[in-house]
Amino acid sequence: MRNDVRELRVAKGLSQAELGEFLGVSRQTVNAIETGRYSPSLPLAIKLARFFGRTVEEVFHVDDDQP
């Protein structure tokens, strides 16, 4: 699953650690989400989307060939 977390974070001038602190997760978790190595839980995805003023669908993009 692709996502726009890195672009949105950078646009707000935040480090991974700062975003992680707000979300209650580690910098490593933010990095893993940004690089697509970790798909966040639904509550975390919603918290991320709300933080950036977007919908979950605007932040996370499921590839068309996946069910």
Side-chain angles (χ1 to χ4, degrees):
M1 175 172 19
R2 296 179 303 107
N3 68 72
D4 297 333
V5 174
R6 180 177 309 233
E7 292 83 2
L8 293 166
R9 175 182 59 77
V10 169
K12 282 196 171 267
L14 297 172
S15 69
Q16 289 178 339
E18 290 169 328
L19 180 56
E21 186 175 324
F22 172 79
L23 297 171
V25 300
S26 69
R27 178 202 62 77
Q28 291 87 349
T29 299
V30 173
N31 180 271
I33 292 169
E34 289 182 354
T35 59
R37 291 182 290 117
Y38 174 73
S39 293
S41 65
L42 184 55
L44 181 54
I46 291 169
K47 196 170 187 179
L48 268 163
R50 286 184 178 165
F51 177 81
F52 292 118
R54 306 285 175 98
T55 65
V56 171
E57 295 85 359
E58 289 174 320
V59 177
F60 296 92
H61 313 284
V62 178
D63 294 331
D64 291 336
D65 60 344
Q66 292 183 354

Coordinates of all heavy atoms in Angstrom, one line a residue:
M1 N 0.8 -1.2 0.0 CA 0.0 0.0 0.0 C 0.9 1.2 0.0 O 1.8 1.4 0.8 CB -0.9 0.0 1.2 CG -1.7 1.2 1.4 SD -3.0 1.2 2.7 CE -2.6 -0.1 3.8
R2 N 0.7 2.1 -1.0 CA 1.4 3.4 -1.0 C 0.8 4.4 -0.1 O -0.4 4.3 0.3 CB 1.3 3.9 -2.4 CG 2.0 3.1 -3.5 CD 1.9 3.7 -4.9 NE 0.5 4.0 -5.3 CZ -0.1 5.2 -5.4 NH1 0.6 6.3 -5.1 NH2 -1.3 5.3 -5.7
N3 N 1.5 5.4 0.3 CA 1.0 6.4 1.2 C 1.7 7.7 1.0 O 2.8 7.8 0.4 CB 1.0 6.0 2.6 CG 2.4 5.9 3.2 OD1 3.0 7.0 3.4 ND2 2.8 4.7 3.5
D4 N 1.1 8.8 1.4 CA 1.7 10.2 1.3 C 2.2 10.7 2.6 O 2.4 11.9 2.7 CB 0.6 11.1 0.7 CG 0.2 10.7 -0.7 OD1 1.0 10.1 -1.4 OD2 -1.0 11.0 -1.1
V5 N 2.5 9.9 3.6 CA 2.8 10.3 4.9 C 4.1 11.2 4.8 O 4.2 12.2 5.4 CB 2.9 9.2 5.9 CG1 3.5 9.6 7.2 CG2 1.6 8.5 6.0
R6 N 5.1 10.7 4.1 CA 6.4 11.4 4.1 C 6.2 12.8 3.5 O 6.7 13.8 4.1 CB 7.4 10.7 3.3 CG 8.8 11.4 3.2 CD 9.8 10.6 2.5 NE 9.8 9.3 3.0 CZ 10.9 8.7 3.5 NH1 12.1 9.3 3.4 NH2 10.9 7.5 4.0
E7 N 5.5 12.9 2.4 CA 5.3 14.2 1.7 C 4.5 15.1 2.7 O 4.8 16.3 2.8 CB 4.5 14.0 0.4 CG 5.4 13.3 -0.6 CD 5.3 11.8 -0.5 OE1 4.6 11.2 0.4 OE2 6.0 11.1 -1.3
L8 N 3.5 14.6 3.3 CA 2.6 15.4 4.2 C 3.4 15.9 5.4 O 3.3 17.1 5.8 CB 1.4 14.7 4.6 CG 0.4 14.4 3.5 CD1 -0.6 13.3 4.0 CD2 -0.3 15.6 3.1
R9 N 4.3 15.0 6.0 CA 5.1 15.3 7.1 C 6.1 16.4 6.8 O 6.3 17.4 7.5 CB 5.8 14.1 7.6 CG 6.8 14.3 8.8 CD 7.5 13.1 9.2 NE 8.3 12.5 8.2 CZ 9.5 12.9 7.7 NH1 10.0 14.0 8.2 NH2 10.1 12.2 6.8
V10 N 6.8 16.2 5.7 CA 7.8 17.2 5.2 C 7.2 18.6 5.0 O 7.7 19.6 5.3 CB 8.6 16.7 4.0 CG1 9.4 17.8 3.4 CG2 9.4 15.5 4.4
A11 N 6.0 18.6 4.4 CA 5.3 19.8 4.1 C 4.9 20.6 5.3 O 4.9 21.8 5.3 CB 4.0 19.6 3.3
K12 N 4.7 19.9 6.4 CA 4.5 20.5 7.7 C 5.8 20.9 8.5 O 5.7 21.4 9.6 CB 3.6 19.6 8.6 CG 2.1 19.7 8.2 CD 1.3 19.1 9.4 CE -0.2 19.3 9.1 NZ -0.7 20.5 9.8
G13 N 6.9 20.5 7.9 CA 8.2 20.8 8.6 C 8.5 19.9 9.8 O 9.2 20.4 10.7
L14 N 7.9 18.7 9.9 CA 8.1 17.9 11.0 C 9.1 16.8 10.8 O 9.3 16.3 9.6 CB 6.8 17.2 11.4 CG 5.6 18.0 11.8 CD1 4.3 17.2 11.9 CD2 5.9 18.7 13.1
S15 N 9.8 16.4 11.8 CA 10.7 15.2 11.7 C 9.9 14.0 12.0 O 8.7 14.1 12.5 CB 11.8 15.3 12.8 OG 11.2 15.2 14.1
Q16 N 10.4 12.8 11.7 CA 9.7 11.6 12.0 C 9.5 11.5 13.5 O 8.4 11.0 13.9 CB 10.5 10.4 11.5 CG 10.5 10.3 10.0 CD 11.4 9.1 9.5 OE1 12.3 8.6 10.2 NE2 11.1 8.7 8.2
A17 N 10.5 11.9 14.3 CA 10.3 11.8 15.7 C 9.2 12.7 16.2 O 8.4 12.3 17.1 CB 11.6 12.2 16.4
E18 N 9.1 13.9 15.7 CA 8.0 14.8 16.1 C 6.6 14.2 15.8 O 5.7 14.3 16.6 CB 8.2 16.2 15.4 CG 9.4 16.9 16.0 CD 9.7 18.1 15.2 OE1 9.5 18.1 13.9 OE2 10.2 19.1 15.8
L19 N 6.5 13.7 14.5 CA 5.2 13.1 14.2 C 4.9 11.9 15.0 O 3.8 11.7 15.5 CB 5.2 12.7 12.7 CG 3.9 12.0 12.2 CD1 2.7 12.9 12.4 CD2 4.1 11.7 10.7
G20 N 5.9 11.0 15.3 CA 5.8 9.9 16.1 C 5.3 10.3 17.5 O 4.5 9.6 18.1
E21 N 5.9 11.3 18.1 CA 5.5 11.8 19.4 C 4.0 12.2 19.5 O 3.3 11.8 20.4 CB 6.4 13.0 19.8 CG 6.2 13.4 21.2 CD 7.1 14.5 21.6 OE1 8.3 14.5 21.2 OE2 6.7 15.4 22.4
F22 N 3.6 12.9 18.5 CA 2.2 13.3 18.4 C 1.3 12.0 18.3 O 0.2 12.0 19.0 CB 1.9 14.2 17.2 CG 0.4 14.4 17.0 CD1 -0.3 15.3 17.8 CD2 -0.3 13.7 16.1 CE1 -1.6 15.5 17.7 CE2 -1.7 13.9 15.9 CZ -2.3 14.8 16.7
L23 N 1.7 11.0 17.5 CA 0.9 9.9 17.3 C 1.0 8.8 18.4 O 0.2 7.9 18.5 CB 1.3 9.2 16.0 CG 1.1 10.0 14.7 CD1 1.7 9.3 13.5 CD2 -0.4 10.3 14.5
G24 N 2.0 9.0 19.3 CA 2.2 8.0 20.3 C 2.9 6.7 19.8 O 2.8 5.7 20.4
V25 N 3.8 6.9 18.8 CA 4.5 5.8 18.2 C 6.0 6.2 18.1 O 6.3 7.4 18.2 CB 4.0 5.3 16.9 CG1 2.5 4.8 17.0 CG2 4.1 6.4 15.8
S26 N 6.9 5.3 17.8 CA 8.3 5.6 17.7 C 8.6 6.2 16.3 O 7.8 6.1 15.4 CB 9.1 4.4 17.9 OG 8.9 3.5 16.8
R27 N 9.8 6.8 16.2 CA 10.3 7.4 15.0 C 10.4 6.2 14.0 O 10.1 6.3 12.8 CB 11.6 8.1 15.2 CG 12.2 8.6 13.9 CD 13.7 8.8 13.9 NE 14.4 7.6 14.2 CZ 14.7 6.6 13.3 NH1 14.3 6.7 12.0 NH2 15.4 5.6 13.6
Q28 N 10.8 5.1 14.5 CA 11.0 3.9 13.6 C 9.7 3.4 13.0 O 9.7 3.0 11.9 CB 11.7 2.7 14.4 CG 13.1 3.0 14.8 CD 13.2 3.8 16.1 OE1 12.3 4.3 16.7 NE2 14.5 3.8 16.6
T29 N 8.6 3.5 13.8 CA 7.3 3.2 13.2 C 6.9 4.1 12.1 O 6.4 3.7 11.1 CB 6.2 3.2 14.4 OG1 6.6 2.2 15.3 CG2 4.8 2.9 13.8
V30 N 7.1 5.4 12.3 CA 6.8 6.4 11.3 C 7.6 6.1 10.0 O 7.1 6.1 8.9 CB 7.1 7.9 11.8 CG1 6.9 8.9 10.6 CG2 6.1 8.2 12.9
N31 N 8.9 5.8 10.2 CA 9.7 5.4 9.1 C 9.2 4.2 8.4 O 9.2 4.2 7.1 CB 11.2 5.2 9.5 CG 12.1 4.9 8.4 OD1 12.2 3.7 8.1 ND2 12.7 5.9 7.8
A32 N 8.8 3.2 9.1 CA 8.3 2.0 8.5 C 7.0 2.2 7.7 O 6.8 1.7 6.7 CB 8.1 0.9 9.6
I33 N 6.1 3.1 8.2 CA 4.9 3.4 7.5 C 5.3 4.2 6.2 O 4.8 3.9 5.2 CB 4.0 4.3 8.4 CG1 3.4 3.5 9.6 CG2 2.8 4.9 7.6 CD1 2.8 4.3 10.7
E34 N 6.2 5.2 6.3 CA 6.5 6.0 5.2 C 7.1 5.1 4.1 O 6.9 5.4 2.9 CB 7.5 7.1 5.6 CG 6.9 8.2 6.4 CD 7.9 9.3 6.7 OE1 9.1 9.2 6.5 OE2 7.4 10.3 7.3
T35 N 7.9 4.1 4.4 CA 8.6 3.3 3.4 C 7.8 2.1 3.0 O 8.2 1.3 2.1 CB 10.0 2.8 3.9 OG1 9.7 2.0 5.1 CG2 10.9 3.9 4.2
G36 N 6.6 1.9 3.5 CA 5.7 0.9 3.1 C 6.0 -0.5 3.7 O 5.5 -1.5 3.3
R37 N 6.9 -0.5 4.7 CA 7.3 -1.8 5.4 C 6.3 -2.1 6.5 O 6.3 -3.2 7.0 CB 8.7 -1.7 6.0 CG 9.8 -1.7 4.9 CD 11.2 -1.6 5.6 NE 11.4 -0.3 6.2 CZ 11.6 -0.2 7.5 NH1 11.6 -1.2 8.3 NH2 11.8 1.0 8.0
Y38 N 5.4 -1.2 6.8 CA 4.4 -1.4 7.9 C 3.1 -0.7 7.5 O 3.1 0.5 7.2 CB 4.9 -0.9 9.2 CG 4.0 -1.0 10.4 CD1 3.6 -2.2 11.0 CD2 3.4 0.2 10.8 CE1 2.7 -2.2 12.0 CE2 2.5 0.2 11.9 CZ 2.2 -1.0 12.5 OH 1.3 -1.1 13.5
S39 N 2.0 -1.5 7.6 CA 0.7 -0.9 7.4 C 0.1 -0.6 8.8 O 0.0 -1.5 9.6 CB -0.2 -1.8 6.6 OG 0.2 -2.0 5.3
P40 N -0.2 0.7 9.0 CA -0.7 1.0 10.4 C -2.1 0.4 10.6 O -2.8 0.1 9.7 CB -0.8 2.5 10.4 CG -1.0 2.9 8.9 CD -0.2 1.8 8.2
S41 N -2.4 0.2 11.9 CA -3.7 -0.2 12.3 C -4.7 0.9 11.8 O -4.4 2.0 11.6 CB -3.8 -0.4 13.8 OG -3.6 0.9 14.4
L42 N -6.0 0.5 11.8 CA -7.0 1.5 11.4 C -7.1 2.7 12.3 O -7.1 3.8 11.8 CB -8.4 0.8 11.3 CG -9.5 1.6 10.8 CD1 -9.2 2.3 9.4 CD2 -10.8 0.8 10.7
P43 N -7.0 2.5 13.6 CA -7.0 3.7 14.5 C -5.8 4.6 14.2 O -6.0 5.8 14.2 CB -7.0 3.1 15.9 CG -7.6 1.7 15.8 CD -7.2 1.3 14.4
L44 N -4.6 4.0 14.0 CA -3.5 4.8 13.7 C -3.6 5.5 12.3 O -3.2 6.7 12.2 CB -2.2 4.0 13.8 CG -0.9 4.7 13.5 CD1 -0.7 5.9 14.5 CD2 0.3 3.8 13.7
A45 N -4.1 4.8 11.3 CA -4.3 5.4 10.0 C -5.3 6.6 10.1 O -5.1 7.7 9.5 CB -4.8 4.4 9.0
I46 N -6.4 6.4 10.9 CA -7.3 7.5 11.1 C -6.7 8.7 11.8 O -6.9 9.9 11.4 CB -8.6 7.0 11.8 CG1 -9.4 6.0 11.0 CG2 -9.4 8.2 12.3 CD1 -10.4 5.3 11.7
K47 N -5.9 8.4 12.8 CA -5.2 9.5 13.6 C -4.2 10.3 12.6 O -4.2 11.5 12.7 CB -4.4 8.9 14.7 CG -4.0 9.9 15.8 CD -3.5 9.2 17.0 CE -3.2 10.2 18.1 NZ -2.8 9.6 19.3
L48 N -3.5 9.5 11.8 CA -2.6 10.2 10.8 C -3.4 11.1 9.9 O -3.0 12.2 9.6 CB -1.9 9.1 10.0 CG -0.5 8.6 10.5 CD1 -0.1 7.3 9.9 CD2 0.5 9.7 10.3
A49 N -4.5 10.5 9.3 CA -5.3 11.3 8.4 C -5.8 12.6 9.0 O -5.8 13.6 8.4 CB -6.4 10.4 7.8
R50 N -6.4 12.4 10.2 CA -6.9 13.6 10.9 C -5.9 14.6 11.2 O -6.1 15.8 11.1 CB -7.6 13.2 12.2 CG -8.9 12.5 11.9 CD -9.7 12.1 13.2 NE -10.9 11.5 12.9 CZ -11.7 10.8 13.7 NH1 -11.2 10.7 15.0 NH2 -12.8 10.2 13.4
F51 N -4.7 14.2 11.6 CA -3.6 15.1 11.9 C -3.3 16.0 10.7 O -3.0 17.2 10.8 CB -2.3 14.3 12.3 CG -1.1 15.2 12.5 CD1 -1.0 15.9 13.7 CD2 -0.2 15.4 11.5 CE1 0.1 16.7 14.0 CE2 0.9 16.2 11.8 CZ 1.1 16.9 13.0
F52 N -3.3 15.4 9.5 CA -3.0 16.1 8.2 C -4.3 16.7 7.6 O -4.1 17.3 6.5 CB -2.3 15.2 7.2 CG -0.9 14.8 7.7 CD1 -0.6 13.4 7.9 CD2 0.1 15.7 7.9 CE1 0.6 13.0 8.3 CE2 1.3 15.3 8.3 CZ 1.6 14.0 8.5
G53 N -5.4 16.6 8.2 CA -6.6 17.2 7.7 C -7.1 16.5 6.4 O -7.6 17.2 5.5
R54 N -6.9 15.2 6.3 CA -7.2 14.4 5.1 C -8.1 13.3 5.5 O -8.2 12.9 6.7 CB -6.0 13.9 4.4 CG -4.9 14.9 4.0 CD -5.3 15.8 2.9 NE -4.4 16.8 2.6 CZ -3.4 16.8 1.7 NH1 -3.3 15.7 1.0 NH2 -2.7 17.8 1.5
T55 N -8.6 12.6 4.5 CA -9.3 11.3 4.7 C -8.3 10.2 4.7 O -7.2 10.4 4.1 CB -10.4 11.0 3.7 OG1 -9.8 10.9 2.4 CG2 -11.4 12.2 3.6
V56 N -8.6 9.1 5.2 CA -7.7 7.9 5.1 C -7.4 7.6 3.7 O -6.2 7.3 3.3 CB -8.3 6.7 5.9 CG1 -7.4 5.4 5.6 CG2 -8.4 7.0 7.4
E57 N -8.4 7.7 2.8 CA -8.2 7.4 1.4 C -7.3 8.4 0.7 O -6.7 8.0 -0.3 CB -9.6 7.3 0.7 CG -10.5 6.2 1.1 CD -11.3 6.5 2.4 OE1 -11.2 7.6 2.9 OE2 -12.1 5.6 2.8
E58 N -7.2 9.6 1.2 CA -6.3 10.6 0.6 C -4.9 10.4 1.0 O -4.0 10.8 0.3 CB -6.8 12.0 1.0 CG -8.1 12.4 0.3 CD -8.6 13.8 0.8 OE1 -8.5 14.0 2.1 OE2 -9.1 14.5 0.0
V59 N -4.7 9.7 2.1 CA -3.3 9.5 2.6 C -2.8 8.1 2.2 O -1.6 8.0 1.8 CB -3.3 9.6 4.2 CG1 -1.9 9.3 4.7 CG2 -3.7 11.0 4.6
F60 N -3.6 7.1 2.2 CA -3.2 5.7 1.9 C -3.9 5.3 0.6 O -5.1 5.5 0.4 CB -3.6 4.8 3.0 CG -2.9 5.1 4.3 CD1 -3.4 5.9 5.2 CD2 -1.6 4.6 4.5 CE1 -2.7 6.2 6.4 CE2 -0.9 4.9 5.7 CZ -1.5 5.7 6.6
H61 N -3.1 4.7 -0.3 CA -3.6 4.3 -1.6 C -3.4 2.8 -1.8 O -2.2 2.4 -1.9 CB -2.8 5.1 -2.7 CG -2.7 6.6 -2.4 ND1 -3.8 7.4 -2.5 CD2 -1.7 7.3 -1.9 CE1 -3.4 8.6 -2.2 NE2 -2.2 8.6 -1.7
V62 N -4.5 2.1 -1.9 CA -4.4 0.7 -2.2 C -4.2 0.5 -3.7 O -4.9 1.1 -4.5 CB -5.7 0.0 -1.7 CG1 -5.7 -1.5 -2.1 CG2 -5.9 0.2 -0.2
D63 N -3.3 -0.3 -4.1 CA -3.0 -0.6 -5.5 C -4.3 -1.3 -6.1 O -4.9 -2.1 -5.5 CB -1.8 -1.5 -5.7 CG -0.5 -0.8 -5.3 OD1 -0.5 0.4 -5.4 OD2 0.4 -1.5 -4.8
D64 N -4.6 -0.9 -7.3 CA -5.8 -1.4 -8.0 C -5.8 -2.9 -8.1 O -6.9 -3.5 -8.1 CB -6.0 -0.8 -9.4 CG -6.3 0.7 -9.3 OD1 -6.9 1.1 -8.2 OD2 -6.1 1.4 -10.2
D65 N -4.7 -3.6 -8.2 CA -4.7 -5.0 -8.4 C -4.8 -5.8 -7.1 O -4.8 -7.0 -7.1 CB -3.4 -5.5 -9.1 CG -2.1 -5.1 -8.4 OD1 -2.2 -4.3 -7.5 OD2 -1.1 -5.6 -8.8
Q66 N -4.9 -5.1 -6.0 CA -5.1 -5.8 -4.7 C -6.6 -5.8 -4.3 O -7.3 -4.9 -4.6 CB -4.3 -5.1 -3.6 CG -2.8 -5.2 -3.7 CD -2.2 -4.5 -2.5 OE1 -2.8 -3.9 -1.7 NE2 -0.8 -4.6 -2.5
P67 N -7.0 -6.9 -3.7 CA -8.5 -7.0 -3.3 C -8.8 -6.1 -2.2 O -8.0 -5.6 -1.5 CB -8.6 -8.5 -2.9 CG -7.2 -9.0 -2.7 CD -6.3 -8.1 -3.4

